[in-house]
Amino acid sequence: MLGGKRLPAEVLQQIVTKTDGIPPFVEEVTKAVVESGLLTAGRDQGVLRGPLPALAIPTTLHEALMARLDRLGSAKGVAQLGAILGHQFPYALLRAVAPLEDEPLQRDLATLVAAELLYQRGLPPRAVYRFKHALIQETAYESLLKSGWLHSHQRIA
């Protein structure tokens, strides 16, 4: 995730401490830290831009996943809609219920694939998407407001 460079010792220690070495948690927390903009590229390792804020490293996997989804902008809404459709969903079905045109929808899906939250098999309009992990789907689903949840379910029905 750092292009072959190491994390600063302070960051690495906090990640190890907070994740208890649970692989999906380590991966998500590391991605959250890298995507947060707290690090710059040094010669052999990432360098902190300043003191590491106390809340910079999420304390739960749910927090780490939620932070990553929140940083995705409009792609978060596509992840939420996909989460309602299921762990795996075809592009054609998502397109039928999404309130977006093809170009922005495909851009948001590409963002989710690049962030490694979704896997893609095939190309739109025949593409099929799958959440990398059930916890990602669950977090996206749970992040929906009740009004958005209800409206999305009605569109799908």
Side-chain angles (χ1 to χ4, degrees), residues 55-97:
L55 298 175
I57 298 179
T59 56
T60 67
L61 180 54
H62 179 78
E63 284 178 16
L65 291 170
M66 187 60 73
R68 289 193 63 217
L69 284 170
D70 286 343
R71 282 193 298 276
L72 294 175
S74 63
K76 178 181 178 182
V78 173
Q80 290 170 323
L81 190 54
I84 293 171
L85 295 174
H87 186 67
Q88 180 172 302
F89 53 90
Y91 175 82
L93 178 57
L94 180 65
R95 177 67 191 97
V97 298

Side-chain angles (χ1 to χ4, degrees), residues 11-125:
V11 175
L12 182 61
Q13 182 57 45
Q14 282 200 36
I15 290 173
V16 169
T17 300
K18 291 187 177 185
T19 64
D20 285 331
I22 300 167
F25 194 12
V26 170
E27 181 180 354
E28 291 305 324
V29 168
T30 303
K31 284 179 183 176
V33 169
V34 169
E35 292 172 0
S36 72
L38 293 170
L39 302 173
T40 60
R43 186 169 182 213
D44 295 329
Q45 71 177 29
V47 177
L48 282 170
R49 292 184 184 268
L52 185 63
L55 298 175
I57 298 179
T59 56
T60 67
L61 180 54
H62 179 78
E63 284 178 16
L65 291 170
M66 187 60 73
R68 289 193 63 217
L69 284 170
D70 286 343
R71 282 193 298 276
L72 294 175
S74 63
K76 178 181 178 182
V78 173
Q80 290 170 323
L81 190 54
I84 293 171
L85 295 174
H87 186 67
Q88 180 172 302
F89 53 90
Y91 175 82
L93 178 57
L94 180 65
R95 177 67 191 97
V97 298
L100 299 171
E101 297 298 321
D102 277 326
E103 188 176 319
L105 178 60
Q106 288 182 27
R107 186 176 48 246
D108 285 346
L109 285 165
T111 298
L112 294 166
V113 170
E116 298 180 350
L117 297 173
L118 291 179
Y119 292 128
Q120 177 180 342
R121 191 176 70 236
L123 297 172

